[in-house]
Amino acid sequence: MSTAQAMALSRREWLLSDQPASRWQARLGRAYATWRRFVANKPGMLGLFIILALVFVAVFANYLTAYSPVVGDLKTARLLPPSAGHWLGTDDQGRDIYSRILYGSRLTLFVVVLVAVISAPVGLLVGAVAGYAGGWTDAILMRITDIFLAFPKLILALAFVAALGPGIENAIIAIAITSWPPYARIARAETLMVRNSDYIKAVQLMGASPVRVVLRHILPMCTSSLIVRVTLDMAGIILTAAGLGFVGLGAQPPLPEWGAMIASGRRFILDQWWVAAMPGMAILIVSLGFNLLGDGLRDALDPRSSGQ
């Protein structure tokens, strides 16, 4: 065995030690074990590859295409089929569809990240407070959650964005408002499971305030389930944003938003199919990537799989 292999084996044994010498070692060990389970999940790794490719394309879109996503050539490049000059064809304004899809990935990531950043903490906090406090607090917060869950997400988002006005920023706010209730339900269920556990009782006997108990000891217990649910919901967020763009309430022209691109191409679906099909394929691939990634994270973070 070479020196490098011996060092790698030593590090692996240190990370997977049954008796960690410090809290830091225990955390690194859990993270390493989780990563090993995730790597063993081939569909999950495929989903991770798709999402990393999406991030790469969004960051380096300027260098991956020579065409502008908003300026076209109506005289010579209108509704051209896929070719060596325009890999995915052109739209009715003579704009390169490949370029618009690349730049549209930035809008997709922008929407997904902001919605997750806004809605996930809100749902986590509402669910944890409701589960820990109980009584009237739980009843009031959960009834508010039920009201939001009673409506289809897209219909409710349409109502909010219609009231706020069309635009990508208002679409993000509307989607975030409709996305937090499932996270609140998950956080409440996790909180109810640990609220009466021994270590929570010990922290309370040591004089910790309810705020400290919720923030320092309950919210971290809900994080794993929430990460999985947020990742699985990314595909729904993308579809909702595309739906808002399709009806004209999301990103406004000439922004290269995938839903708006499908809406502009539906008039040519029979003869110039690529105008609507290419952005639709982009939505399909990215949504599939998030679903595969979420399934892989669910298997990796499932405590029942820790013994495998």
Side-chain angles (χ1 to χ4, degrees):
M1 180 182 297
S2 65
T3 304
Q5 291 175 336
M7 292 178 61
L9 181 60
S10 177
R11 286 195 298 266
R12 188 180 303 112
E13 292 176 349
W14 181 82
L15 288 170
L16 300 178
S17 174
D18 295 333
Q19 297 178 342
S22 65
R23 183 180 300 178
W24 178 246
Q25 182 182 353
R27 290 175 177 174
L28 287 177
R30 287 196 299 269
Y32 178 69
T34 300
W35 172 248
R36 289 183 62 185
R37 291 195 297 269
F38 180 77
V39 170
N41 189 304
K42 301 305 180 184
M45 288 298 294
L46 175 60
L48 178 62
F49 173 78
I50 292 174
I51 302 309
L52 290 179
L54 174 68
V55 175
F56 176 82
V57 165
V59 172
F60 297 102
N62 295 345
Y63 305 99
L64 297 176
T65 178
Y67 296 99
S68 168
V70 296
V71 178
D73 184 3
L74 283 172
K75 184 176 181 180
T76 61
R78 184 176 184 271
L79 295 175
L80 295 179
S83 63
H86 300 278
W87 291 352
L88 302 182
T90 61
D91 62 6
D92 59 319
Q93 300 297 317
R95 297 171 297 196
D96 184 68
I97 295 178
Y98 171 73
S99 300
R100 288 179 61 78
I101 289 178
L102 293 187
Y103 281 90
S105 63
R106 294 180 174 179
L107 287 176
T108 299
L109 281 179
F110 180 67
V111 171
V112 165
V113 171
L114 279 188
V115 170
V117 168
I118 295 172
S119 61
V122 171
L124 180 62
L125 186 60
V126 169
V129 170
Y132 182 75
W136 284 104
T137 302
D138 183 22
I140 292 173
L141 291 177
M142 287 300 101
R143 296 299 78 75
I144 295 174
T145 303
D146 290 339
I147 292 173
F148 281 88
L149 290 174
F151 297 92
K153 182 183 295 186
L154 180 58
I155 301 301
L156 196 58
L158 284 170
F160 279 115
V161 77
L164 296 172
I168 189 65
E169 295 84 2
N170 291 338
I172 291 172
I173 295 174
I175 298 172
I177 292 174
T178 62
S179 297
W180 66 267
Y183 309 144
R185 281 292 185 183
I186 292 175
R188 178 178 179 271
E190 296 282 350
T191 303
L192 291 175
M193 292 176 60
V194 302
R195 181 177 62 179
N196 296 320
S197 59
D198 292 340
Y199 80 93
I200 295 294
K201 295 296 183 183
V203 172
Q204 293 172 340
L205 289 174
M206 293 174 63
S209 65
V211 175
R212 181 180 178 84
V213 172
V214 171
L215 294 180
R216 295 293 300 275
H217 301 283
I218 291 181
L219 290 185
M221 297 295 295
C222 307
T223 303
S224 297
S225 300
L226 191 70
I227 290 175
V228 173
R229 180 57 191 259
V230 169
T231 307
L232 290 171
D233 281 352
M234 294 299 187
I237 293 172
I238 293 173
L239 292 176
T240 302
L244 294 176
F246 185 85
V247 299
L249 295 177
Q252 298 299 297
L255 291 178
E257 198 275 323
W258 293 345
M261 291 173 63
I262 296 176
S264 65
R266 70 183 187 274
R267 295 173 297 167
F268 314 102
I269 192 65
L270 295 180
D271 298 322
Q272 291 82 26
W273 53 269
W274 57 88
V275 181
M278 297 307 179
M281 188 64 65
I283 294 175
L284 172 64
I285 293 174
V286 174
S287 299
L288 177 63
F290 276 115
N291 281 329
L292 293 176
L293 178 60
D295 287 337
L297 289 176
R298 181 182 57 194
D299 294 339
L301 295 174
D302 188 355
R304 292 172 296 181
S305 64
S306 58
Q308 296 179 356

